[in-house]
Amino acid sequence: MTLIVEKYGGTSVGSVERINAVAQNVANSVKSGDRLVVVVSAMSGETNRLIGLAKEVCEQPCPREMDVLTSTGEQVTIALLSLALQQIGISACSYTGYQIPIRTDSVHGKARIEHIDADRVHADLDNGNVVVVAGFQGISEENKITTLGRGGSDTTAVAMAVALHADECRIFTDVDGVYTADPRMVMDARRLESITFEEILELSGAGAKVIQIRAVEFAGKYNVPLRVLSSFEPGPGTLITYEDKNMEQPLISGITVVENEAKITVRGVPDKPGIAYSILGPISAADINVDMIVQNIGTDGLTDFTFTINQEDLQKSMDLLEPVVKELKAETVVGDTNLAKISAVGVGMRSHAGIATAMFRALSEKGINIQMISTSEIKISVTIDKEYTELAVRTLHKAFGLEQIGANR
Ligand code: ASP
Ligand code: MG
């Protein structure tokens, strides 16, 4: 018998009607003969509401009590879903994280799962039950309630799938799969039938948000097939799996956009050893993530040094650089938020030359100026003027023939 872990996010269990619809969905899987473990999030908005309440009571709530508080959202939905299942004749029972138990480290608010004891769940499944598990929560060695970080129910689902040796982990959400581009930007964006763990990680890092990155890493590490699908419309969704070497891969699987990056340029820096370190040292010491880095070849002993960071970190970074600029005797430092990073991602890139050239050609034909370029084995990213974001995404989507791959919506 096939064992499936299904996970439903906040919007999927956002109201009593929706919980009933989820119960129906689960019932269909049960009737098709699968054994089922269902992981749920809190009702949408609930976790935020709880955090808001705590902030009304005190400015800096202690992390231990925050976890006691925020974990309650999922306790509500597991009970309601179990009741809804029972109501339509499906035996079901619910478990909080500590009842299972899902053992985590003791880092409140972003705990990591260390061990799951699957015995009770197996016993319930053997007795013909659907087992409903609270996402996002666990228990530390000192028996304190912990939570796994925002969006953590995805991780719970994957971890349950690993612990139970499930055949597939299905993440039901409000989109019906992973797309070749954001369908709001590109009309003929296509749903991908499958995508590799590597690609989805690059896509997530490059701006596509369908599933928590940590959950994908976890699934990739233990080779659990993951499927992203809609809880509102029937359909096969997108399977996230290992690369199938026998299958012809499309060159590019998706085009994504990041719009919340800022660019800092230090102009007229004396070109000598140690510049990169002097400039980026204080930035990384302040725990600010640097994304792209470009240093031009110097002329007349001077060079420009440019890098990108999250927009939120712009002011702090500029402040940190002020003394550095003085010490290096650089001309100026300028910050710019008017940029977008566009990335093309695909494992097919590995075996094909000329993808970058094709990308640059397509952009140049539309008169879009590329400011910076960075590449990995399966990703090419460029930054451009924000104004051209949609044009660039549509242009690249077309240039790589993405409207012809994947499935119709
Ligand atoms: N309820 C938690 C949150 O809102 C966990 C989750 O939804 O996955 O972050
Ligand atoms: Mg959520």
Side-chain angles (χ1 to χ4, degrees), residues 76-116:
V76 172
T77 46
I78 52 170
L80 289 175
L81 179 58
S82 300
L83 291 171
L85 283 165
Q86 291 165 8
Q87 191 64 23
I88 54 173
I90 308 277
S91 311
C93 54
S94 68
Y95 281 92
T96 59
Y98 53 86
Q99 283 177 302
I100 291 213
I102 296 176
R103 295 269 169 213
T104 71
D105 62 21
S106 43
V107 186
H108 288 290
K110 47 177 182 223
R112 292 196 167 259
I113 296 176
E114 286 176 343
H115 177 76
I116 295 180

Side-chain angles (χ1 to χ4, degrees), residues 88-384:
I88 54 173
I90 308 277
S91 311
C93 54
S94 68
Y95 281 92
T96 59
Y98 53 86
Q99 283 177 302
I100 291 213
I102 296 176
R103 295 269 169 213
T104 71
D105 62 21
S106 43
V107 186
H108 288 290
K110 47 177 182 223
R112 292 196 167 259
I113 296 176
E114 286 176 343
H115 177 76
I116 295 180
D117 188 343
D119 291 353
R120 288 193 189 127
V121 177
H122 273 305
D124 278 323
L125 288 169
D126 290 344
N127 288 328
N129 289 296
V130 169
V131 177
V132 183
V133 178
F136 178 57
Q137 55 177 263
I139 183 147
S140 72
E141 220 185 325
E142 310 84 53
N143 278 346
K144 289 176 187 149
I145 292 177
T146 52
T147 62
L148 311 179
R150 299 309 304 268
S153 301
D154 288 348
T155 303
T156 305
V158 172
M160 287 302 300
V162 172
L164 293 162
H165 304 289
D167 297 282
E168 193 171 287
C169 179
R170 298 182 184 152
I171 308 285
F172 285 89
T173 175
D174 42 12
V175 295
D176 68 346
V178 181
Y179 275 74
T180 51
D182 185 341
R184 285 167 305 186
M185 240 180 235
V186 183
M187 277 239 313
D188 48 11
R190 292 296 192 103
R191 178 176 53 78
L192 294 161
E193 263 152 25
S194 71
I195 188 167
T196 69
F197 285 113
E198 264 183 300
E199 285 172 319
I200 191 97
L201 288 172
E202 289 278 19
L203 284 173
S204 311
K209 260 195 250 97
V210 243
I211 178 169
Q212 208 202 21
I213 289 196
R214 232 172 96 192
V216 179
E217 284 170 350
F218 210 144
K221 184 165 160 201
Y222 292 98
N223 199 6
V224 179
L226 260 184
R227 193 180 286 279
V228 176
L229 57 190
S230 161
S231 36
F232 306 113
E233 296 158 45
T238 299
L239 179 67
I240 308 171
T241 179
Y242 269 105
E243 192 174 342
D244 184 348
K245 302 268 190 251
N246 301 318
M247 246 162 53
E248 181 73 28
Q249 295 284 346
L251 283 181
I252 301 295
S253 296
I255 310 289
T256 56
V257 181
V258 175
E259 283 189 302
N260 62 349
E261 281 193 15
K263 179 174 81 175
I264 294 183
T265 303
V266 186
R267 290 231 172 88
V269 200
D271 195 3
K272 59 177 193 211
I275 296 172
Y277 177 64
S278 321
I279 294 174
L280 296 180
I283 302 289
S284 70
D287 256 335
I288 295 171
N289 267 328
V290 173
D291 183 21
M292 297 164 106
I293 304 169
V294 173
Q295 189 193 338
N296 296 327
I297 294 176
T299 43
D300 303 329
L302 294 180
T303 183
D304 290 346
F305 189 93
T306 307
F307 60 97
T308 65
I309 47 169
N310 195 301
Q311 261 177 32
E312 279 176 18
D313 297 322
L314 179 59
Q315 194 49 52
K316 191 167 170 198
S317 305
M318 295 292 280
D319 295 346
L320 286 167
L321 285 178
E322 218 184 86
V324 178
V325 166
K326 275 200 195 110
E327 199 178 308
L328 288 175
K329 300 200 169 58
E331 278 160 20
T332 53
V333 49
V334 281
D336 175 13
T337 55
N338 184 33
L339 73 155
K341 181 173 85 171
I342 317 284
S343 308
V345 174
V347 289
M349 236 181 249
R350 260 195 219 120
S351 46
H352 286 81
I355 304 287
T357 316
M359 181 165 175
F360 305 152
R361 188 198 311 120
L363 294 173
S364 83
E365 278 168 7
K366 296 284 177 194
I368 299 172
N369 186 37
I370 299 171
Q371 304 168 343
M372 293 198 231
I373 301 167
S374 77
T375 61
S376 80
E377 217 189 349
I378 64 162
K379 178 174 79 176
I380 305 166
S381 304
V382 298
T383 63
I384 58 167

